[in-house]
Amino acid sequence: MRLFRKSARWAATALCGVLAAAALPATTAGAAPAGVAPPVPDRYRHQRLDWHPCATGPLECATMTVPRDWYRPGAGPDLHVEVDRLRAADPAARRGVLMVAAGGPGASGLGRPARLASYSPHLAAAYDIVGFDQRGVGASTRVTCSDQDTVDALFASGDLRDRSPEAVRRTVDRARGFAQDCGRRSGDLLPYITTDQAVHDMDLYRELLGARKVSYYGPSYATFLGAYYATEFPGRVERVVLDSNVDFTGTWQSFMTGQPMSFQRRFEEDFLPWLAAHDATYHQGATPAEAGAAFERLRAALGAHPLDIEGTVVTPNHLDAATTDSVYNAREGFEGLAVLLGVLAHPQEAPADVRKTVAARLAHPLGADFAADFFSVTCQDTPWTRNARYWEELSARDTAAHPLAGARELAFASVCANWPRTRTPRVRVTGEGLPPVLMLNSTHDPATYYESAVRAHRGLAGSRLLTVDGGDHGQFQNHNPCVDAAVEAYLLDGVLPAEGARCPGGPLPEPAGRPGGR
């Protein structure tokens, strides 16, 4: 992903009834209003980060100890959060700390300081760039739910467009089972894997770094995280860049129910015309309509006869997942998707190495570790409708209107509809007391769609939205000189782009590799 790994990207298309039978231990998580946690005990504030060289690369790594529950810091075992940093390349020009975070939720943040520094030497010279694995993720204390086979059964097997009563019941039962697994395997930890708890970890990190304030860059879900951090600790932020925005002024449910439309738009208005324009290479149809019909024929064939590619049994759900993953970034994804379509249509004609690459890409649309954190955060941060009929009816409409991502709406929503009940404080993001925030978004972003960014911008007083006329997800570090110049001018000199400013999107790719199947 630059921001996302494969599983993270697919989950970002997701929509997270009946109540889960799994019970959680009694908890007062969120008993206090958001941001009004008791004073941080000295044993956390006075810890020393034992910086040492990371296993790879130029970074330093350390482990930070945090309370399980920031509202009751003495209750339950502590958690650990893994952190890393890259010191400013030019100490004489150093202007502070730039904290960077990962998307998802569920993606790792470790290693990101080095990637950002490599991309932008100007920022690397001026800032100590610091990152972390959020609680619940990666090298930090992790949340656990179902094993990979169970996750694959829910999100990869069969065809989620199937609206028969048996198929709907099977999907809901599997989603309920996943939520119950989370309660059984991580019940005592689960209520504390939330964005609100994570931003308190971030502020402890700031304090242990000795920084009075930090600047911040976050893409995708990290816009939600950054907006919450700035809201709960407004005096601790200097400059904030939010790239490809979740609507952090609303709920996860309201945001995610808009994604079927935006993925379908990106597929139909950007990818299919590109594919048709290169029909001489990929042989999928000379018009967008013909290319779309070829996609549907392939999908139907996989439904009738799932295809074994190098040991991976490919279903329609695998195809949908690979497609949504591929349209995040045209330069990185369009050609790979075109090759994949050719291999699935004519597997016997594809070279062995290409078949192996396609099989590896398709194998697990949603990783089990990623899914555990993704649902812990999205199902608990904000309320969800728990009525099963509501989701059955909405998902049926979205499957008909926007089938690419609408088909999986029932699976994702049913997890959250059956999530063990917890009490998480609601954070109201308004922009009050904040410095100007720079927001970036493209007009055809499939995951963090433009309409969501506009809502968030209007709700975040004093923010400035830079619009990119394109469809990629993630604007900074995407080789767009206009965007890069705006971000660096803001983070280095505090200069915001003009109100209503726009940047052109990057050019669509030209075919460079083997078509694979013809």
Side-chain angles (χ1 to χ4, degrees):
M1 55 189 174
R2 296 175 343 267
L3 334 171
F4 286 71
R5 300 201 196 296
K6 176 178 71 171
S7 60
R9 280 180 165 168
W10 191 65
T13 72
L15 297 166
C16 295
V18 232
L19 301 183
L24 286 175
T27 174
T28 59
V36 191
V40 181
D42 286 347
R43 69 188 182 93
Y44 301 108
R45 297 180 62 241
H46 294 165
Q47 65 182 297
R48 295 179 62 86
L49 295 178
D50 181 20
W51 293 106
H52 56 274
C54 298
T56 59
L59 296 170
E60 295 178 288
C61 288
T63 301
M64 180 174 69
T65 300
V66 301
R68 173 171 298 243
D69 181 3
W70 277 99
Y71 298 96
R72 296 187 305 155
D78 289 335
L79 310 183
H80 70 268
V81 172
E82 294 298 308
V83 300
D84 61 1
R85 72 176 178 184
L86 186 65
R87 291 182 180 273
D90 184 357
R94 181 185 183 277
R95 68 170 320 279
V97 172
L98 175 62
M99 186 176 290
V100 298
S108 173
L110 296 179
R112 289 170 187 271
R115 294 195 290 274
L116 192 153
S118 176
Y119 187 85
S120 176
H122 297 299
L123 295 180
Y127 284 99
D128 292 345
I129 306 176
V130 305
F132 57 96
D133 267 359
Q134 189 169 323
R135 60 167 59 204
V137 174
S140 296
T141 301
R142 285 163 55 180
V143 64
T144 302
C145 291
S146 299
D147 60 24
Q148 189 62 58
D149 287 346
T150 301
V151 174
D152 286 346
L154 175 56
F155 298 112
S157 67
D159 185 354
L160 287 169
R161 287 194 199 176
D162 185 351
R163 304 303 302 180
S164 67
E166 296 80 6
V168 168
R169 182 169 59 252
R170 182 169 57 247
T171 296
V172 173
D173 287 347
R174 287 172 173 171
R176 183 184 303 115
F178 177 89
Q180 290 171 345
D181 283 349
C182 296
R184 281 193 295 265
R185 298 185 180 186
S186 296
D188 59 341
L189 174 63
L190 211 57
Y192 313 110
I193 305 301
T194 66
T195 300
D196 174 57
Q197 294 281 349
V199 300
H200 288 80
D201 298 343
M202 292 165 61
D203 198 59
L204 177 62
Y205 188 19
R206 172 204 58 79
E207 184 172 358
L208 296 179
L209 290 167
R212 187 175 65 87
K213 293 185 177 184
V214 295
S215 292
Y216 178 86
Y217 168 76
S220 198
Y221 160 69
T223 63
F224 197 98
L225 182 71
Y228 271 37
Y229 178 67
T231 296
E232 298 198 48
F233 300 97
R236 313 277 172 78
V237 295
E238 184 178 13
R239 295 169 186 170
V240 177
V241 180
L242 305 179
D243 183 351
S244 303
N245 292 265
V246 175
D247 180 12
F248 40 73
T249 65
T251 66
W252 279 108
Q253 177 174 315
S254 65
F255 166 71
M256 295 174 77
T257 49
Q259 287 186 318
M261 173 279 297
S262 56
F263 274 94
Q264 198 73 32
R265 175 173 63 192
R266 174 69 158 161
F267 179 67
E268 293 181 351
E269 298 184 18
D270 294 348
F271 175 71
L272 290 180
W274 175 88
L275 186 62
H278 298 290
D279 184 52
T281 301
Y282 299 115
H283 311 292
Q284 296 292 320
T287 68
E290 290 176 357
F295 180 91
E296 290 299 322
R297 286 195 300 272
L298 173 60
R299 196 182 185 285
L302 293 173
H305 302 287
L307 181 64
D308 189 323
I309 298 284
E310 302 294 325
T312 296
V313 178
V314 183
T315 69
N317 292 336
H318 287 95
L319 177 60
D320 289 350
T323 302
T324 53
D325 177 61
S326 298
V327 299
Y328 271 73
N329 184 287
R331 187 179 59 256
E332 295 178 2
F334 278 18
E335 184 178 15
L337 177 56
V339 169
L340 181 146
L341 295 174
V343 170
L344 294 181
H346 304 282
Q348 70 282 359
E349 299 178 21
D353 62 326
V354 175
R355 289 200 307 271
K356 290 178 180 178
T357 299
V358 166
R361 182 177 180 184
L362 291 169
H364 302 297
L366 185 63
D369 290 340
F370 179 88
D373 186 77
F374 177 84
F375 286 108
S376 295
V377 173
T378 56
C379 294
Q380 295 186 124
D381 273 355
T382 56
W384 282 79
T385 298
R386 290 180 171 256
N387 183 283
R389 182 174 295 278
Y390 172 85
W391 290 114
E392 291 174 19
E393 293 175 352
L394 178 63
S395 65
R397 294 194 298 271
D398 282 341
T399 298
H402 312 296
L404 183 62
R408 64 196 60 167
E409 185 171 54
L410 180 64
F412 280 89
S414 295
V415 173
C416 288
N418 287 281
W419 197 258
R421 288 189 182 273
T422 58
R423 290 183 290 164
T424 301
R426 180 72 186 276
V427 179
R428 305 286 181 180
V429 177
T430 65
E432 182 179 355
L434 296 183
V437 171
L438 176 58
M439 300 173 63
L440 317 170
N441 228 92
S442 71
T443 52
H444 274 196
D445 188 320
T448 52
Y449 46 96
Y450 188 66
E451 295 85 347
S452 166
V454 170
R455 289 198 302 266
H457 166 54
R458 290 172 177 167
L460 185 63
S463 62
R464 188 69 52 86
L465 176 61
L466 177 61
T467 297
V468 179
D469 293 313
D472 283 353
H473 178 73
Q475 307 314 309
F476 183 53
Q477 304 180 83
N478 194 31
H479 305 283
N480 186 320
C482 177
V483 173
D484 294 347
V487 171
E488 290 183 344
Y490 172 64
L491 288 176
L492 294 173
D493 302 314
V495 177
L496 285 164
E499 194 76 51
R502 304 182 82 93
C503 284
L508 295 179
E510 290 297 321
R514 292 176 292 182
R518 292 293 293 271

